[in-house]
Amino acid sequence: TLVVSVTMAPTTVPTSNELRTSFKSFWDKYSDRPDIGAMMLNNNAEELEEADRHDILSSLPCIKGKDAVDIGAGIGRFTTVLAQTARHVLTTDFIDEFIRKNKENNSHLPNVDYAVGDAVNLQLKDLSVDFVFTNWIMMYMSDTETVQFILKCLSWLRPNGHAHLRESCSEPSTGRKAASVSMHDANASNPTSYRFSSLYINLLRSVRMRDEKGETWKFNVLWSASVPTYIKRMSNWRQVHWLVEKVAADKDDVVPSFDDLLEKFSKTWNEEQKEWDSLLDGEEEAFTDKTVLSSLSSLSSLSDPAGIFVYTPRRISPHLHINSHLLAEKYSANIWNVEAEPYYYRTSLTKANTRKDQRVRFAWHPKFSQSIDYWSEKQAKFDAFVSTEFLTENEEDLTSVKRILNEDAPVVLIEPLDKIDEEAITKRLSTAGLKNIRVRDVTDDISSTLDSFNLKYNITKPSVYRWALIEASV
């Protein structure tokens, strides 16, 4: 037997300066062509740019009369529009040529100041801006720099100020198989970090800061969603953006140390996401499928194409959710599926990228009420509402559902309950303004499905006494 001894070379961790130099070198390659293609690293950028810019701008809060900073602004794709309503805009980038082009494009706007500099080293006064805008910036930062940057954003913002962030998550914006589209040479070094979307959500929800007055502040993460143009044009659901608001935290909130945040962002949350991925990736069905299809009478009358709002909190089991791809296929419907857990949201985006059914979209909201606000602000209406665990998770939101539903829209709920009290359920839904209420005990059907589902996926069955299928209409 031949025994070979191998000495492994020590792992060299690049310093912060080395990392910044690598990112600067990465972008310097495109400094000779300060145009839309370089901004999006896409040879077909002209086909995407207008729609992508509309997607982002239409999702922003009103900044009329506000002070804004556009970080990593490049040639000013967004600076121009921000400056049309903001009181003042500071626009920054670390590539000289990009800022020169930005200034040339926006020289007619008197309320814009320009700065050449790295976002990592950007220094602003605390409480100096109402809006922080970024578009592809943290993916060009190390983990340490990302945590530092988010804490800085929190300190720069005035109370109730907003920040918009957008990143390529898990893969490049052009997708993993679109080498002909990407301007970046696949064989060249790429220092970009394509992190899990859940990492950003967890970090944004976890940061806290205490000001000089002893008051504690945090981010309220209003929503997370895919950028629609990248779904339509690139079949990529993992172009993700977020809107956050600076709000007062509870006085008893613990302010985590920087090291604790970094440890979670770099390791803990990564490992937890990978565990959930190993459990949920490849799940082609849900154990609620049979029950949802049994509500055919409620959903069969939907117009074509219908819009169905799906809410799946998955509190008692990661497997308890609605199969939105099945709904899209059976009813030729457009689906907006709201997840309430960042890890499951990431697995849903992965499934969407695999299935590539553009009728199915996923979003994440920390509270159901915020998902209602999201669509109410857009004055949008849906043709049906389908949910699991809705009655057990939402005491006050039944009435609010009607704000985003058309008249006579069917409502289908699958509820895990200690007991099925048909009279109490009917009264609760009637009080909320629903009609045509029907309550069915589907415990035997779901229990049987769970047994076979358990054999296939080796899941831990949720401890539920009874299952109810509730159908109603607005």
Side-chain angles (χ1 to χ4, degrees):
T1 303
L2 178 64
V3 179
V4 179
S5 175
V6 179
T7 302
M8 299 297 291
T11 302
T12 302
V13 178
T15 66
S16 179
N17 286 338
E18 288 172 337
L19 283 171
R20 298 323 303 158
T21 299
S22 69
F23 287 126
K24 181 76 162 50
S25 299
F26 178 80
W27 279 101
D28 273 337
K29 292 181 295 185
Y30 310 102
S31 62
D32 62 337
R33 51 168 299 182
D35 58 16
I36 295 301
M39 294 301 94
M40 304 180 78
L41 292 182
N42 191 310
N43 288 316
N44 297 335
E46 293 293 342
E47 301 174 11
L48 296 169
E49 199 281 330
E50 185 176 354
D52 176 76
R53 186 156 42 91
H54 176 268
D55 288 341
I56 300 302
L57 291 170
S58 64
S59 69
L60 303 183
C62 177
I63 59 170
K64 184 177 181 179
K66 305 289 188 180
D67 297 317
V69 56
D70 185 359
I71 304 174
I75 65 173
R77 287 182 62 212
F78 296 96
T79 302
T80 308
V81 180
L82 296 177
Q84 288 171 357
T85 54
R87 188 191 74 83
H88 176 263
V89 176
L90 171 63
T91 182
T92 77
D93 200 277
F94 66 172
I95 303 298
D96 293 9
E97 282 299 321
F98 292 171
I99 285 295
R100 273 196 279 272
K101 187 66 175 179
N102 189 333
K103 187 179 291 188
E104 177 186 319
N105 291 340
N106 296 304
S107 59
H108 62 290
L109 296 169
N111 59 335
V112 180
D113 284 329
Y114 307 86
V116 177
D118 197 321
V120 168
N121 300 314
L122 180 63
Q123 299 296 321
L124 299 177
K125 291 182 179 179
D126 290 353
L127 307 175
S128 61
V129 295
D130 304 288
F131 185 55
V132 174
F133 180 83
T134 75
N135 192 69
W136 292 317
I137 192 75
M138 293 181 289
M139 54 200 271
Y140 303 116
M141 296 179 181
S142 68
D143 290 347
T144 298
E145 291 163 347
T146 300
V147 176
Q148 289 171 336
F149 179 73
I150 292 300
L151 287 167
K152 285 182 180 180
C153 289
L154 188 57
S155 67
W156 294 335
L157 283 168
R158 294 167 182 145
N160 303 117
H162 292 84
H164 171 273
L165 309 112
R166 181 261 192 95
E167 302 296 332
S168 298
C169 297
S170 299
E171 63 180 65
S173 60
T174 52
R176 296 192 181 280
K177 296 182 180 180
S180 61
V181 175
S182 175
M183 289 178 59
H184 179 64
D185 182 356
N187 297 316
S189 174
N190 184 351
T192 312
S193 294
Y194 302 113
R195 300 182 179 95
F196 297 139
S197 54
S198 57
L199 301 189
Y200 292 116
I201 295 175
N202 287 341
L203 178 61
L204 290 165
R205 298 182 78 190
S206 299
V207 293
R208 298 289 186 277
M209 62 158 285
R210 188 163 288 124
D211 63 18
E212 294 177 351
K213 298 178 181 178
E215 295 179 346
T216 306
W217 300 90
K218 67 176 183 178
F219 279 131
N220 176 18
V221 186
L222 299 174
W223 50 258
S224 175
S226 302
V227 178
T229 293
Y230 275 80
I231 295 176
K232 296 174 186 175
R233 304 289 181 86
M234 306 298 297
S235 293
N236 186 351
W237 278 252
R238 297 194 287 205
Q239 276 296 300
V240 182
H241 61 148
W242 304 266
L243 185 67
V244 302
E245 179 185 15
K246 180 177 178 176
V247 298
D250 293 338
K251 62 180 181 180
D252 296 329
D253 273 13
V254 175
V255 178
S257 69
F258 179 86
D259 289 342
D260 181 47
L261 288 171
L262 181 58
E263 175 72 17
K264 290 179 177 177
F265 188 69
S266 299
K267 297 179 181 178
T268 307
W269 295 330
N270 259 297
E271 293 168 357
E272 290 176 353
Q273 181 65 70
K274 290 175 182 177
E275 288 180 7
W276 288 117
D277 288 351
S278 66
L279 180 68
L280 295 172
D281 282 356
E283 184 190 59
E284 293 298 322
E285 57 193 330
F287 69 77
T288 58
D289 287 355
K290 181 179 178 182
T291 305
V292 169
L293 292 179
S294 75
S295 64
L296 184 64
S297 59
S298 295
L299 300 176
S300 59
S301 61
L302 293 177
S303 58
D304 185 12
I308 302 179
F309 189 102
V310 173
Y311 177 60
T312 54
R314 307 201 204 197
R315 302 300 187 199
I316 67 170
S317 169
H319 300 280
L320 175 54
H321 62 100
I322 301 297
N323 186 345
S324 288
H325 289 90
L326 177 67
L327 285 181
E329 293 165 5
K330 292 293 183 181
Y331 303 108
S332 298
N334 296 314
I335 313 295
W336 184 263
N337 187 321
V338 172
E339 296 280 4
E341 163 55 57
Y343 295 130
Y344 307 154
Y345 171 58
R346 137 76 191 186
T347 62
S348 291
L349 295 180
T350 300
K351 184 175 182 179
N353 258 32
T354 302
R355 298 290 293 269
K356 300 190 183 306
D357 187 337
Q358 296 186 7
R359 296 170 298 185
V360 181
R361 310 291 173 89
F362 291 92
W364 172 89
H365 294 274
K367 296 179 181 178
F368 178 75
S369 59
Q370 289 175 307
S371 68
I372 297 296
D373 292 341
Y374 179 88
W375 284 107
S376 294
E377 291 169 4
K378 299 176 184 294
Q379 299 182 323
K381 297 278 188 178
F382 290 84
D383 301 301
F385 176 68
V386 183
S387 179
T388 56
E389 301 171 275
F390 186 78
L391 298 182
T392 52
E393 284 294 314
N394 299 276
E395 289 296 330
E396 307 296 334
D397 289 325
L398 265 172
T399 303
S400 69
V401 172
K402 296 196 301 179
R403 290 164 49 198
I404 60 166
L405 293 178
N406 289 315
E407 188 175 353
D408 296 322
V411 173
V412 177
L413 309 176
I414 297 176
E415 298 292 335
L417 302 168
D418 290 333
K419 65 176 182 178
I420 299 176
D421 187 335
E422 184 174 349
E423 183 178 348
I425 293 171
T426 301
K427 181 179 179 180
R428 183 175 172 187
L429 269 62
S430 297
T431 302
L434 301 185
K435 60 185 180 181
N436 302 323
I437 301 163
R438 300 180 301 281
V439 181
R440 279 196 284 153
D441 187 333
V442 291
T443 305
D444 291 343
D445 287 343
I446 285 189
S447 295
S448 174
T449 305
L450 266 174
D451 288 339
S452 59
F453 199 83
N454 181 40
L455 289 174
K456 187 172 184 179
Y457 294 103
N458 192 30
I459 70 169
T460 300
K461 293 200 296 184
S463 300
V464 175
Y465 291 106
R466 312 299 298 176
W467 293 89
L469 173 64
I470 303 166
E471 300 169 86
S473 59
V474 174

